[in-house]
Amino acid sequence: MVDSCVYLRQRPSRACGARVFPLVRFDEQVRPATKRKNPSALLRGLRAQNRNRTCTPLRVPDFESDASTSSAIWAICGTQYYGIEAGRPNRAKNSILARPVGDEIGGRGAGINKNGMITIGLLREGKVPADNRVALTPAQCKWIHRNVPGMRVQVQTSPDRCYTDKEYRSAGVEVREELGECDILFGIKEVPVGELLPGKTYLFFSHTKKKQPYNRSMFKAIVDRQITLIDYECLEHDDGQRILGFGFFAGVVGAHNGIMAYGNRTAGYALERVHRQQSFRELIHTYFGLRLPEIKVAVTGSGRVAHGALEVMNLLEIVEVEPDEFLERSFHYPVFTQLKGAGLYAHGQTGKYHRDEFHQHPQEYRCKFLPYAATADILINGIYWDRNMPRLFEWEDLAADEFHIRTIADITDDREGSVPCNLGESTMEDPIYGVDRKSGLRTAPYLPGSVDVMAVGNLPNELPRDASRYFGQQLIKHVLTDLLQGGSKILDRATMVRRGQLTEPYRYLEAYARGE
């Protein structure tokens, strides 16, 4: 017998469009789950054991269902975690098999301690300049303590977070200097080499999957110290859609800064800085009554970044037009067009665009952006890019008289990447710099003969509370349950290093992991 309560969650198929039922609590001793014919039988058995008890639904976030199984019930019995999984409908016989899953995180065993309790630590950001975002807000930590049995959160003290130590303490969260007792450590940006704890499981944006040279020593230390690394950037649904990210708020701030920079150059209007506002809601209030001139804005991309940029376009009442209209017509009001994959790239021989083929063989494609550079005033760049993909334009294009763009908000922020005149990051305090179109040298912004570039790597820091709140919601909804249950395919795919060993999808980083 397990002396505890049981929490159940039925997870219907995503294909059915169903929502997850709320957790139900049974305050009684129950037996660990055993083989049952179906989930309903398990429920009936538990209800029979608890016939004299009241079943109280608990308030939880609106978790989405898991597409990996057609039907499932997950039970948490005291300090043991059992998953009762139903087979897929196309199998000849559906079977229910209870198995303890709490001893494995990311599918291979890092995490829950001997007492059956997971302790999560929120890291102090050590990268300079310090990031002020957090993985979980005080309110979200409080919710976890109240509603997720077997999980506690500790917070490393920090003077730089958008939420203060006092706010975490007021939410009942322990704030301390050392996190050595924690099983899993959540950060945001890269962890300095000197602060990496051997043998721990880390989740943060490592920025290593592209073999970024500036993080080579950190990645080597992760391998050398037998650390397990789960990268937020690699957490993806089965269709490749990223689960976590700050892209929406990066798009909001980047688009705002781009429009602001053009106003500064032309003196035609003025926008306030984002970081001077307390929230996204306050930022929206600064747009009231603003009248923009007849500008043309090209927005590239289709992901979260682009969605954030489009939100700003709509709030500023910049009218969307079709790409062909954007190229051919003049307008007496501000307009923008959005350029996605098929509007930006074409195969060098066939002239067609196929998404999967493009991502597998991008070197066989050419970019079609240049005509838009001849008519747009502002470029807001939100595409994914790697070194094999064609650039939006080249240096010789920038120097040509036909190049009309005067402001580039490179939210993607790849140095000398899709935007070749990205000469490196600027800062949140001073986000705009100039690039001489002829010499290619970095200059002060807003000079004749130059193009203004906004390239800031931590744009969401200008709206840190909004960005952190959204990130934490997604983390709880899509990741926390998998960690508690001992792993998932999603976590496996995002695990770059497991106990100091590169996982199969990341074997291509072997030389990089050796520091070469």
Side-chain angles (χ1 to χ4, degrees):
M1 301 289 285
V2 178
D3 186 10
S4 180
C5 60
V6 171
Y7 297 81
L8 297 179
R9 178 182 299 128
Q10 186 169 351
R11 300 167 65 150
S13 169
R14 178 176 295 176
C16 299
R19 289 288 183 181
V20 176
F21 297 117
L23 289 172
V24 179
R25 173 172 174 161
F26 296 86
D27 292 304
E28 182 55 276
Q29 291 184 339
V30 297
R31 295 183 181 278
T34 56
K35 286 187 178 182
R36 301 274 184 177
K37 292 183 179 179
N38 54 54
S40 298
L42 176 65
L43 280 173
R44 287 195 298 271
L46 288 169
R47 285 170 180 157
Q49 295 178 42
N50 293 272
R51 62 173 60 92
N52 297 322
R53 296 286 179 171
T54 301
C55 300
T56 306
L58 301 178
R59 293 184 178 180
V60 298
D62 186 20
F63 290 93
E64 293 180 1
S65 55
D66 186 353
S68 64
T69 57
S70 62
S71 174
I73 293 178
W74 297 92
I76 301 173
C77 303
T79 60
Q80 299 184 58
Y81 303 86
Y82 292 88
I84 301 88
E85 298 184 2
R88 294 183 181 277
N90 60 0
R91 292 181 181 174
K93 182 182 291 185
N94 290 351
S95 62
I96 307 295
L97 176 62
R99 60 182 177 85
V101 294
D103 60 343
E104 297 184 351
I105 293 295
R108 299 294 184 273
I112 299 178
N113 59 36
K114 294 180 180 180
N115 297 321
M117 175 75 70
I118 294 180
T119 302
I120 289 175
L122 298 187
L123 294 167
R124 174 176 58 235
E125 294 299 312
K127 187 175 181 180
V128 179
D131 201 290
N132 59 2
R133 292 168 289 174
V134 296
L136 294 168
T137 69
Q140 290 163 351
C141 293
K142 185 176 182 178
W143 183 91
I144 290 171
H145 289 170
R146 286 184 173 181
N147 297 287
V148 184
M151 183 172 286
R152 301 293 294 176
V153 182
Q154 296 179 356
V155 175
Q156 191 171 31
T157 181
S158 171
D160 299 312
R161 286 194 189 97
C162 57
Y163 292 96
T164 65
D165 290 352
K166 181 179 179 180
E167 288 177 283
Y168 280 101
R169 290 192 181 100
S170 297
V173 183
E174 181 182 0
V175 179
R176 57 190 302 174
E177 176 61 31
E178 300 297 332
L179 297 180
E181 298 178 1
C182 296
D183 306 297
I184 304 172
L185 299 169
F186 287 173
I188 298 298
K189 287 295 190 74
E190 302 93 319
V191 177
V193 172
E195 299 177 15
L196 289 168
L197 301 178
K200 294 296 183 181
T201 295
Y202 283 85
L203 285 85
F204 58 87
F205 290 103
S206 72
H207 298 121
T208 54
K209 62 183 290 187
K210 297 181 184 179
K211 303 182 182 179
Q212 288 91 324
Y214 51 85
N215 285 329
R216 184 183 288 112
S217 60
M218 179 197 69
F219 198 71
K220 182 178 186 299
I222 287 171
V223 172
D224 293 343
R225 298 178 191 180
Q226 305 293 298
I227 286 170
T228 295
L229 171 63
I230 302 173
D231 196 312
Y232 294 137
E233 187 178 357
C234 301
L235 289 164
E236 297 178 341
H237 293 294
D238 291 339
D239 61 0
Q241 182 69 31
R242 280 182 58 183
I243 293 173
L244 293 179
F246 293 95
F248 177 83
F249 288 99
V252 166
V253 177
H256 175 99
N257 286 351
I259 302 296
M260 177 193 71
Y262 188 79
N264 293 344
R265 168 176 278 276
T266 61
Y269 57 91
L271 281 178
E272 298 184 28
R273 291 299 311 278
V274 176
H275 69 81
R276 293 175 184 162
Q277 318 308 316
Q278 294 297 314
S279 66
F280 186 33
R281 180 177 297 179
E282 284 193 16
L283 177 65
I284 293 173
H285 283 286
T286 67
Y287 296 157
F288 294 164
L290 179 67
R291 184 174 180 179
L292 295 176
E294 303 168 7
I295 59 175
K296 282 187 169 184
V297 184
V299 180
T300 62
S302 58
R304 286 192 177 99
V305 169
H307 291 160
L310 297 183
E311 183 73 10
V312 172
M313 298 297 104
N314 293 326
L315 289 169
L316 290 173
E317 298 184 0
I318 303 176
V319 179
E320 182 173 14
V321 298
E322 293 298 320
D324 55 347
E325 292 182 293
F326 189 89
L327 291 175
E328 299 167 2
R329 289 184 53 190
S330 297
F331 299 88
H332 298 297
Y333 45 87
V335 299
F336 79 92
T337 196
Q338 182 183 11
L339 302 173
K340 305 177 185 179
L344 282 174
Y345 304 105
H347 193 275
Q349 294 183 347
T350 66
K352 297 180 179 180
Y353 174 83
H354 297 283
R355 183 179 183 276
D356 292 340
E357 181 187 56
F358 171 71
H359 285 284
Q360 292 173 5
H361 306 287
Q363 67 277 4
E364 297 179 4
Y365 280 71
R366 59 180 176 83
C367 186
K368 304 189 295 182
F369 176 75
L370 205 54
Y372 298 93
T375 187
D377 302 293
I378 302 169
L379 166 62
I380 297 175
N381 183 36
I383 61 170
Y384 173 83
W385 187 85
D386 70 31
R387 68 185 68 184
N388 294 318
M389 293 181 177
R391 290 170 162 176
L392 295 180
F393 55 88
E394 299 294 341
W395 277 106
E396 56 267 26
D397 302 317
L398 181 66
D401 294 338
E402 295 80 15
F403 195 90
H404 189 262
I405 295 173
R406 291 297 176 265
T407 300
I408 299 175
D410 188 16
I411 306 173
T412 301
D413 193 25
D414 289 303
R415 180 168 182 162
E416 299 178 357
S418 55
V419 172
C421 55
N422 180 335
L423 302 183
E425 289 189 6
S426 46
T427 64
M428 185 173 74
E429 294 74 22
D430 189 19
I432 314 298
Y433 60 82
V435 176
D436 188 278
R437 294 172 54 199
K438 302 297 183 182
S439 68
L441 298 177
R442 185 164 174 164
T443 70
Y446 318 130
L447 297 179
S450 68
V451 62
D452 300 318
V453 176
M454 192 286 309
V456 179
N458 57 348
L459 286 169
N461 279 26
E462 295 205 43
L463 288 172
R465 288 195 171 221
D466 294 272
S468 298
R469 191 179 305 114
Y470 174 79
F471 186 85
Q473 289 170 353
Q474 303 308 304
L475 187 65
I476 291 173
K477 179 184 292 187
H478 296 292
V479 178
L480 212 63
T481 304
D482 286 346
L483 287 173
L484 187 62
Q485 293 168 355
S488 67
K489 291 181 180 179
I490 289 175
L491 287 179
D492 277 345
R493 289 196 296 264
T495 303
M496 300 182 71
V497 182
R498 182 177 287 115
R499 295 178 178 176
Q501 300 295 318
L502 290 172
T503 58
E504 189 61 35
Y506 303 98
R507 294 288 185 189
Y508 69 93
L509 295 172
E510 286 182 347
Y512 182 75
R514 292 193 298 268
E516 300 174 5

